Amino acid sequence: MTAIDRPQDVVGHEHEEGSFLDNRGLGFWGTIWDWASTVDHKKIGLMYLTAVLLMFFLGGVAGLAVRIELMEPMRMAETIGEDGTPTVELQGVAIDFGSEQTAEDGTKYWSFESTRESASTTYNRLFTIHGAVMVFLFIIPSIPAALGNFLLPLMLGAKDVAFPKLNLFSWYIYLTGATIAVVSLVLMGTDTGWTFYTPYSIQTDADYYRVFLMILAAFVLGFSSILTGLNFIVTVHKLRAPGMGWFDMPLFVWAIYATSIIQVLATPVIGITLLLLIFERLFRVGIFDASMGGDPVLYQHFFWFYSHPVVYVMILPAMGIISELLAVHSRKHIFGYRAIAFSSLGIAGVSFLVWGHHMFTAMGELASAVFSALTFLVAIPTAIKVFNWIATLYKGSIAINTPMLYALAFLFLFSIGGLTGLPLGALATDLHLHDSYFVVAHFHYVMMGGTVIAFIGGLHHWWPKMFGKMYNEKVGMFACVLVFIGFNTTFFTQFILGTQGMPRRYASYVDEFQLLHQISTVGSWLLAIGFLIHLGNFLHSLIAGPKAPPNPWGGLSLEWEAESPPTAHNFHHEPLVKHGPYDFESVVPPHCSEEEFPLPKSVS
Amino acid sequence: MTTMETKTGGKSMPWESYHHEPHWRSASDEFDAAKLGMWLFLTTEVLLFAGIFCAYAIFRMLYPEAFANGSALLDVKFGFINTVVLLVSSFTVAMAVRCAQLNQQFWLKVNIYITLFCAALFVFIKFTFEYIPKWSEGKRPGAFFDYPFAHHPAEPLWWAVYYCGTGIHALHVLIGAGLLTWVLVRAHKGIYGPKNYTMVETSALYWHLVDLVWIFLFPLLYLIH
Ligand code: HEM
Ligand SMILES: [Cu+2]
């Protein structure tokens, strides 16, 4: 280090600086406080990552429980004994109801119906926990808040996000929301479904605090989402490294940017909706209550005005990850950079115009037809992306590793998910498919087959960067295959069930559906095993994984110029951008030699 | 007085040594970013209130008589006074920004004081002359409605829209006032001046939004019958 105080020194020459993960001799509590009060986007990203994975686990357990319940239909057998006492068997197990009950008006009855009811209520609570945790606590913050926080500044060549303190603040808002949700779950959860449709959500559970808490949690989490989105938009506008124009940004950044726009524009609407719902629940103000002249369908409009765009909050970042994975691991310039970038914005725009397709059965014909037509529009920018990704692979030198396998799995599964959205968007077919397992299968193909798959793929891709350790490639690939098989077993069957008429959100079904339900449940176990293997692989890598080089995949975007894991201020020098993020044909990747990542010999 | 000190330049004020956060390349980048951030936040606030306006429009279309009856029960006088109060406060907060830019420390604080006074006055008028009398007469939202002279079954709904809309707005008045109080405390420490007035400007922007929402609420609720 020189003692001369030049202005550049503020930015550069921090060679002796260690990784941001280094324990700086703070002791246990010191380290905890260091993390709890950090404004470093990398640490905040890792905290989000931990929380989000925990929520994935929690939601996953609830999901597995739902599937187990569906192994068999609820078979009730009622026999009247000689003395006139009914015996009731549920699933072959006799149920003891004690004695006859007397209702308020004096009539006598046996309360077996209520047992069936309480079994179904438990089921309803389970799928609500599953849905609400997965949507509000896992998938919405997953890629943007965890990977986005970690990578966005690195990819832009910045030292941090625009407002580091605000970033920490939104992490604490997330924690608050998560805590409220968990409290509501510990108190037995709610049975409204993640959509909280009125009038049910304002009537169910006389001791209403759980429903109230759950809605409050979603409301609070919305703030976190808004502030993160706002932070990212400003970061992209104002903190690009010198030399980086808008079209030199990696596509992941474009995707996060488009996502953030949706978060900022759509989330306030769910904010006011949930606020009014809270008023409704606590004070019976009547806005959504038909018995007071209010309008439950208005609630649905408000809800989907947010919740449709939010499905693109889930999928756009995933699409961004796929653009990175495919280009880097096939060493090809991404095909149609601008088309992919603009289609992200296009999707963001169109996503605000299609909410009505969730409520065709609650609207007039004209409105339905218009929403149906607009829904088809979404398919265009989506298809543009898929074609560009496939064209990127063409003649690339494709590496077969975990991130690439996940990217390929994404292409396959997301295409199925997107294409099955079209029959749901078409009026004639949706009347049959609405509220059936077909819808369940559709959104799992896009949310799980799309977002979760991309998230795990991206996690493998950037794992070395985040922790400075390599994971075991063979184990990763094996688990990926298992997840792929398990996923299709679980959810493809549900398409068939749906077309045959199995409704969603039912605890029981007719015997004809049993085989498909059982296959689906077994699939969910494969899926769970696959994820657990990934978890083991990651933990093993943290403890005993070989040290990762700064640029294991030969990537060209700026995060690969940083160390693995990056130093506290990300870069030794403020990077100066001289090449695009996908110029694999002409640039030797940073920290790499030409032998490792040869440039193409012939440029004809 | 602080003004004197700065005029003479004898003692340096905290704002003079302001340095931008290390992750920014320049103070002007930092300033622009803060403003962009605030504008984005204001967008979210507008969208939040859009929900209320939307509910208003729909129920007004469904039950025009109920809304006309309800609106006739509001006192335009108080709505109007409050409009003036907020407009004045918007002016003073804008002046506060200008004073910070010109290093008029004394007037910076005076303007914020007036703004805060207006905020308090607004809330005071809202409660003592509107909410409390109306509530005690039974003009309440939804299930609480207990007004014997209602002509239309949907009148509770009108009051629901009225209380939700103005209530959420009043909450924003309080949040804005809180923000400005914080600015005021820091202004007393001499933190704001020509080299650093970001917080003054962004809080003022927020305050203008609070004013703006009222400018829409006032005619919709009080003037249109
Ligand atoms: C090509 C694009 C897509 C189209 C045309 C489409 C269309 C639809 C339609 C029409 C429905 C309503 C079906 C019904 O209830 O009858 C629906 C439901 C749903 N879609 Fe999609 N979708 C698309 C992509 C996505 C993506 C990317 C996601 C999420 C990442 C997603 C998540 C969902 C969810 C969660 C539901 C069910 C919501 C509920 O009722 O609980 N969709 N989709
Ligand atoms: Cu939708």
Side-chain angles (χ1 to χ4, degrees):
Chain A
M1 284 295 283
T2 53
I4 309 164
D5 191 26
R6 286 174 300 135
Q8 301 94 292
D9 277 324
V10 182
V11 209
H13 298 297
E14 289 157 10
H15 280 290
E16 82 282 31
E17 197 189 12
S19 115
F20 79 102
L21 284 174
D22 281 352
N23 189 334
R24 281 173 283 123
L26 293 168
F28 180 72
W29 290 111
T31 311
I32 299 253
W33 174 247
D34 185 45
W35 280 78
S37 64
T38 184
V39 290
D40 183 347
H41 67 100
K42 299 181 289 301
K43 288 187 174 172
I44 296 178
L46 291 190
M47 290 194 287
Y48 267 116
L49 184 65
T50 322
V52 149
L53 289 178
L54 206 67
M55 289 303 154
F56 185 49
F57 181 76
L58 192 71
V61 170
L64 287 171
V66 165
R67 282 294 349 145
I68 286 174
E69 198 280 345
L70 290 169
M71 271 299 256
E72 279 185 33
M74 280 190 189
R75 293 199 183 88
M76 302 270 295
E78 184 189 339
T79 37
I80 311 284
E82 274 156 26
D83 56 347
T85 328
T87 334
V88 176
E89 290 185 349
L90 185 64
Q91 310 282 80
V93 181
I95 296 171
D96 176 22
F97 298 110
S99 56
E100 257 182 337
Q101 316 256 325
T102 315
E104 273 169 27
D105 58 4
T107 48
K108 308 248 186 234
Y109 70 102
W110 295 86
S111 68
F112 53 82
E113 265 307 318
S114 70
T115 308
R116 188 202 187 115
E117 219 112 86
S118 78
S120 321
T121 307
T122 310
Y123 176 81
N124 293 348
R125 296 221 161 109
L126 276 177
F127 77 65
T128 305
I129 293 176
H130 170 67
V133 168
M134 285 299 194
V135 169
F136 296 116
L137 287 161
F138 167 64
I139 207 167
I140 293 178
S142 63
I143 300 177
L147 292 182
N149 247 320
F150 194 96
L151 292 169
L152 187 73
L154 283 168
M155 285 183 161
L156 292 173
K159 284 183 175 178
D160 209 320
V161 292
F163 310 118
K165 286 184 206 134
L166 188 70
N167 202 18
L168 182 67
F169 184 55
S170 54
W171 155 248
Y172 278 108
I173 300 180
Y174 172 83
L175 265 193
T176 313
T179 313
I180 300 176
V182 169
V183 167
S184 154
L185 299 182
V186 170
L187 297 174
M188 290 299 292
T190 65
D191 63 346
T192 58
W194 75 280
T195 46
F196 310 121
Y197 269 18
T198 56
Y200 188 64
S201 60
I202 47 182
Q203 290 163 359
T204 178
D205 283 331
D207 48 344
Y208 47 63
Y209 291 105
R210 297 191 302 256
V211 182
F212 162 67
L213 283 175
M214 204 65 207
I215 301 172
L216 185 68
F219 177 74
V220 171
L221 289 166
F223 275 101
S224 164
S225 182
I226 289 180
L227 293 179
T228 304
L230 187 155
N231 217 335
F232 287 178
I233 294 181
V234 179
T235 308
V236 172
H237 273 271
K238 296 286 176 197
L239 278 174
R240 278 170 285 132
M244 184 185 279
W246 281 87
F247 295 105
D248 303 318
M249 300 193 309
L251 286 165
F252 180 71
V253 174
W254 270 102
I256 290 283
Y257 181 69
T259 308
S260 303
I261 292 179
I262 305 182
Q263 279 176 306
V264 166
L265 294 185
T267 320
V269 177
I270 197 72
I272 188 72
T273 311
L274 295 177
L275 201 60
L276 290 177
L277 190 61
I278 289 173
F279 290 165
E280 193 74 63
R281 178 85 221 191
L282 296 181
F283 312 124
R284 305 279 322 276
V285 289
I287 290 181
F288 300 134
D289 188 345
S291 68
M292 285 192 242
D295 189 356
V297 178
L298 181 65
Y299 174 80
Q300 296 187 19
H301 277 290
F302 277 2
F303 183 84
W304 289 113
F305 184 84
Y306 161 77
S307 292
H308 183 80
V310 95
V311 307
Y312 292 99
V313 168
M314 305 170 192
I315 199 70
L316 278 174
M319 293 168 157
I321 290 184
I322 296 305
S323 302
E324 300 299 322
L325 300 195
L326 287 177
V328 173
H329 295 281
S330 64
R331 311 214 57 68
K332 267 278 298 288
H333 196 288
I334 189 95
F335 190 87
Y337 176 93
R338 287 190 185 219
I340 296 184
F342 281 122
S343 61
S344 288
L345 294 182
I347 289 179
V350 180
S351 74
F352 280 97
L353 308 176
V354 303
W355 77 89
H357 64 215
H358 293 271
M359 29 192 304
F360 284 144
T361 46
M363 290 187 305
E365 276 166 29
L366 178 65
S368 297
V370 171
F371 275 122
S372 174
L374 287 169
T375 298
F376 294 147
L377 279 186
V378 185
I380 299 172
T382 314
I384 289 178
K385 282 181 188 281
V386 175
F387 290 136
N388 279 311
W389 288 326
I390 293 173
T392 302
L393 287 174
Y394 179 65
K395 288 196 171 168
S397 63
I398 298 174
I400 293 300
N401 52 23
T402 318
M404 182 48 116
L405 281 190
Y406 266 108
L408 296 176
F410 175 95
L411 287 183
F412 187 77
L413 300 177
F414 175 73
S415 298
I416 296 182
L419 288 172
T420 51
L422 293 174
L424 292 174
L427 289 178
T429 36
D430 185 58
L431 278 188
H432 177 61
L433 299 172
H434 179 62
D435 264 349
S436 77
Y437 255 69
F438 193 89
V439 177
V440 178
H442 156 69
F443 67 69
H444 279 94
Y445 264 81
V446 271
M447 302 202 327
M448 181 131 184
T451 310
V452 177
I453 291 288
F455 179 49
I456 311 269
L459 207 53
H460 282 90
H461 181 73
W462 283 294
W463 185 264
K465 180 56 56 186
M466 293 198 278
F467 297 100
K469 297 283 179 68
M470 295 306 284
Y471 59 87
N472 185 318
E473 197 69 78
K474 288 218 177 70
V475 177
M477 281 166 41
F478 172 73
C480 173
V481 172
L482 203 60
V483 165
F484 183 79
I485 296 172
F487 176 83
N488 283 299
T489 320
T490 313
F491 293 108
F492 202 83
T493 39
Q494 301 187 357
F495 279 127
I496 307 170
L497 280 168
T499 47
Q500 291 179 353
M502 172 72 207
R504 64 189 284 203
R505 296 185 171 172
Y506 275 54
S508 187
Y509 47 82
V510 293
D511 286 353
E512 284 78 357
F513 293 145
Q514 188 169 8
L515 179 64
L516 285 172
H517 269 301
Q518 282 180 337
I519 297 177
S520 178
T521 302
V522 173
S524 72
W525 298 337
L526 290 183
L527 203 50
I529 296 173
F531 284 130
L532 288 179
I533 296 178
H534 276 314
L535 181 67
N537 198 14
F538 280 145
L539 292 180
H540 176 264
S541 146
L542 282 186
I543 297 162
K547 191 173 164 15
N551 192 0
W553 320 118
L556 288 182
S557 38
L558 290 179
E559 79 270 28
W560 303 112
E561 278 182 26
E563 301 293 332
S564 292
T567 57
H569 293 104
N570 294 353
F571 301 98
H572 295 310
H573 303 271
E574 179 167 51
L576 181 66
V577 180
K578 297 203 203 73
H579 55 77
Y582 305 108
D583 292 343
F584 297 103
E585 283 83 355
S586 54
V587 181
V588 180
H591 302 292
C592 295
S593 63
E594 245 220 87
E595 292 90 73
E596 284 174 292
F597 295 100
L599 300 177
K601 290 277 148 8
S602 60
V603 183
S604 54
Chain B
M1 289 289 302
T2 17
T3 21
M4 299 326 296
E5 285 164 11
T6 51
K7 285 273 161 57
T8 58
K11 201 169 144 208
S12 103
M13 300 271 293
W15 63 263
E16 288 173 70
S17 54
Y18 177 76
H19 201 273
H20 57 84
E21 300 267 330
H23 64 291
W24 291 104
R25 266 173 236 116
S26 69
S28 80
D29 271 6
E30 185 185 46
F31 176 71
D32 291 347
K35 260 177 88 165
L36 178 59
M38 187 39 98
W39 276 106
L40 284 169
F41 190 71
L42 297 188
T43 317
T44 71
E45 291 282 11
V46 169
L47 282 157
L48 185 96
F49 280 102
I52 296 279
F53 289 125
C54 187
Y56 171 90
I58 285 167
F59 291 125
R60 171 166 206 105
M61 241 149 48
L62 285 176
Y63 314 112
E65 315 93 88
F67 270 53
N69 295 347
S71 171
L73 293 175
L74 294 181
D75 198 329
V76 183
K77 185 169 74 229
F78 294 121
F80 180 74
I81 296 176
N82 261 347
T83 311
V84 174
V85 167
L86 281 189
L87 282 175
V88 169
S89 73
S90 248
F91 175 75
T92 52
V93 86
M95 286 313 288
V97 178
R98 190 168 163 72
C99 292
Q101 289 166 342
L102 298 178
N103 194 24
Q104 297 165 348
Q105 295 290 336
F106 175 73
W107 289 108
L108 164 64
K109 280 168 272 182
V110 169
N111 275 308
I112 301 181
Y113 273 116
I114 303 179
T115 313
L116 284 174
F117 174 74
C118 289
L121 189 63
F122 177 91
V123 177
F124 174 76
I125 295 179
K126 194 89 217 146
F127 273 86
T128 30
F129 299 114
E130 302 208 87
Y131 283 163
I132 294 173
K134 293 213 171 60
W135 189 274
S136 52
E137 287 161 22
K139 298 166 187 161
R140 303 173 197 158
F144 297 105
F145 186 74
D146 190 21
Y147 183 58
F149 310 110
H151 297 295
H152 192 281
E155 276 180 41
L157 209 56
W158 149 266
W159 291 109
V161 172
Y162 169 79
Y163 280 103
C164 288
T166 56
I168 295 174
H169 175 260
L171 184 70
H172 279 79
V173 173
L174 294 179
I175 296 174
L179 211 59
L180 286 171
T181 311
W182 188 59
V183 171
L184 183 66
V185 170
R186 288 168 46 106
H188 272 286
K189 293 183 189 154
I191 290 175
Y192 302 117
K195 277 176 85 179
N196 174 28
Y197 56 92
T198 313
M199 265 308 290
V200 189
E201 168 121 18
T202 47
S203 316
L205 275 176
Y206 186 83
W207 190 256
H208 290 316
L209 176 96
V210 172
D211 188 10
L212 190 72
V213 171
W214 181 257
I215 297 293
F216 280 89
L217 280 176
F218 172 57
L220 287 179
L221 294 174
Y222 291 77
L223 298 184
I224 308 175
H225 289 318

